[in-house]
Structure formats: structure tokens, C-alpha cells
Amino acid sequence: GAVVSQHPSRVICKSGTSVKIECRSLDFQATTMFWYRQFPKQSLMLMATSNEGSKATYEQGVEKDKFLINHASLTLSTLTVTSAHPEDSSFYICSARGREIRAFFGQGTRLTVV
Amino acid sequence: QKEVEQNSGPLSVPEGAIASLNCTYSDRGSQSFFWYRQYSGKSPELIMSIYSNGDKEDGRFTAQLNKASQYVSLLIRDSQPSDSATYLCAVNGWNSGAGSYQLTFGKGTKLSVIP
């Protein structure tokens, strides 16, 4: 299957700081990328969808000024959590889709805000 | 609001038995259906996809789809302790706002295979 690399796998940051998470498609062109958040013992919740070269479309309840998404190229999307607070601590997962209907997941990033 | 429903479990089966996981979905226009396996603290891993009515087999896994009943299931034969995980049902549908297809996930069913 296709490879999607997400970095970092774990990050701990202080409250009020910003954190950037990268998602790269290594062997295909990702025309669409998805960002999910998963709290403990809960399912994946879609945060936003981004098509290459376009602004991201955010799901209801997700603050676009807090979760900045950039999808400037066909192989890279970034999610920046700005002014992070402890309630933003979660497992963030990206997913990328190219020509196929299937989407491939990154390894996920465990964010802890202290 | 597109919905995907799964029993949260936990579903416990003895080693070697058949595990049966079920999923229903609300969007009648959905065309693609997926089962993902997620181990604790890890990202989901695609294990099966199915697009047409009927059964699709891959090794110990069989996906079943009934579009008329809006129902999709996953059977795991000869269950192993290593199959213990949360299984997520996902349904592909068009999101006009985002201008793309996107997956809607169920909450997942936790499976425990008892040695």
C-alpha cells in the first residue's frame, strides 16, 4: 500500500505555544488530505479536509484560526495547533488520498500540552 | 448528517472462533465501504474494502455488503489473540462543502480474542 509519513509521533509542549505536525505522502500525489483527532476511547473525528492548493474545509465546531492547515504541495500537508491548551491534548492523525478512493493513514501524533 | 453505527462492544470470542462485526450506515448513496483495525495508541490500518453487494474474502477476513439494508459486516475466521483490537467501519461519501469524498467512521467495536 501507499506510504504516508507523519511527524512527529509524539510531542509535549507548554500551554500557549504552537505545534506543527507534518504529513507527507511518500510515493503518491495526495490531492486530498484529511486531519482527524481522536480522544481516548473515542472514534476518529474529522477536523478538516484540504485539497491541494485550496483552503481547508473545517468541520463544524473546529476552530480554523486555532488549527491551521496548509496543503501547499501534492506531497505535504501541515497542521499547526496554535496557542495550545491542555484540552487540545489528543491523538492527531492525517490521511491522504490520491487517485484511488482509498485513503492512507499516517502513523499519528500524540500531542500532550502541559 | 451521515451516520455510521457500530456496537461498541467489547466483543469477546475464544481463540479459533469466528468473530462477527456489524455496521449500519445512513447515507443510501454511499458506494465504498472499508474496515480498519486500530491497535491502542496506533493509527488505523486498512484490512478490507468492499464496493459491491455480496461477500469479499481475503485470507481469514470476509466482508459482506448489503446496500438495500445499508449494512456491512466483517467476519474474522480462526480468531487469534493478535486480532484483539478496535475495528472501525468507514463509509465513503461525497462532501459537497469540501468538494471531495471523505470517510465517515463508526465509533468502533473493541474485539478481545481470549486464548
Side-chain angles (χ1 to χ4, degrees):
Chain A
V3 178
V4 176
S5 176
Q6 187 173 341
H7 178 81
S9 59
R10 289 179 181 273
V11 59
I12 300 173
C13 71
K14 290 185 177 180
S15 187
T17 62
S18 296
V19 173
K20 180 184 282 188
I21 302 170
E22 291 189 351
C23 181
R24 292 180 185 274
S25 57
L26 299 184
D27 54 358
F28 69 101
Q29 293 183 326
T31 51
T32 306
M33 286 198 175
F34 308 90
W35 287 94
Y36 297 86
R37 179 168 53 183
Q38 187 176 36
F39 292 108
K41 299 185 190 258
Q42 295 188 24
S43 188
L44 295 167
M45 296 302 297
L46 179 65
M47 299 175 67
T49 302
S50 72
N51 294 308
E52 185 267 339
S54 303
K55 288 185 179 179
T57 301
Y58 290 80
E59 295 298 302
Q60 192 171 8
V62 179
E63 300 174 59
K64 62 181 180 180
D65 294 332
K66 180 171 181 63
F67 299 99
L68 303 179
I69 291 172
N70 184 285
H71 189 176
S73 79
L74 284 171
T75 59
L76 174 65
S77 177
T78 60
L79 167 67
T80 302
V81 183
T82 62
S83 187
H85 291 287
E87 58 265 31
D88 298 323
S89 299
S90 188
F91 191 45
Y92 291 86
I93 309 172
C94 72
S95 175
R97 165 188 279 146
R99 290 183 178 181
E100 292 189 44
I101 292 176
R102 298 185 299 167
F104 300 92
F105 284 89
Q107 302 95 321
T109 298
R110 175 76 58 192
L111 170 64
T112 303
V113 185
V114 298
Chain B
Q1 183 77 9
K2 298 171 184 174
E3 294 181 351
V4 177
E5 299 287 342
Q6 293 181 256
N7 288 328
S8 60
L11 172 67
S12 295
V13 300
E15 184 173 356
I18 295 176
S20 178
L21 305 163
N22 304 315
C23 173
T24 58
Y25 59 94
S26 64
D27 183 5
R28 190 170 283 279
S30 299
Q31 297 294 319
S32 315
F33 308 87
F34 305 89
W35 283 99
Y36 287 84
R37 176 175 62 198
Q38 187 176 25
Y39 294 111
S40 181
K42 301 293 185 183
S43 190
E45 169 193 12
L46 179 67
I47 53 173
M48 288 289 285
S49 58
I50 187 166
Y51 308 108
S52 54
N53 281 329
D55 295 0
K56 179 182 177 183
E57 187 175 317
D58 183 0
R60 296 187 294 113
F61 298 99
T62 299
Q64 299 174 317
L65 174 61
N66 183 325
K67 289 184 181 180
S69 300
Q70 295 175 242
Y71 173 89
V72 59
S73 66
L74 178 70
L75 300 177
I76 306 175
R77 290 181 299 282
D78 187 24
S79 296
Q80 301 298 308
S82 58
D83 294 326
S84 297
T86 297
Y87 288 80
L88 301 168
C89 172
V91 177
N92 206 30
W94 179 255
N95 183 319
S96 57
S100 70
Y101 285 95
Q102 64 184 214
L103 291 174
T104 300
F105 284 89
K107 294 190 184 319
T109 299
K110 186 171 184 177
L111 172 67
S112 293
V113 180
I114 312 301

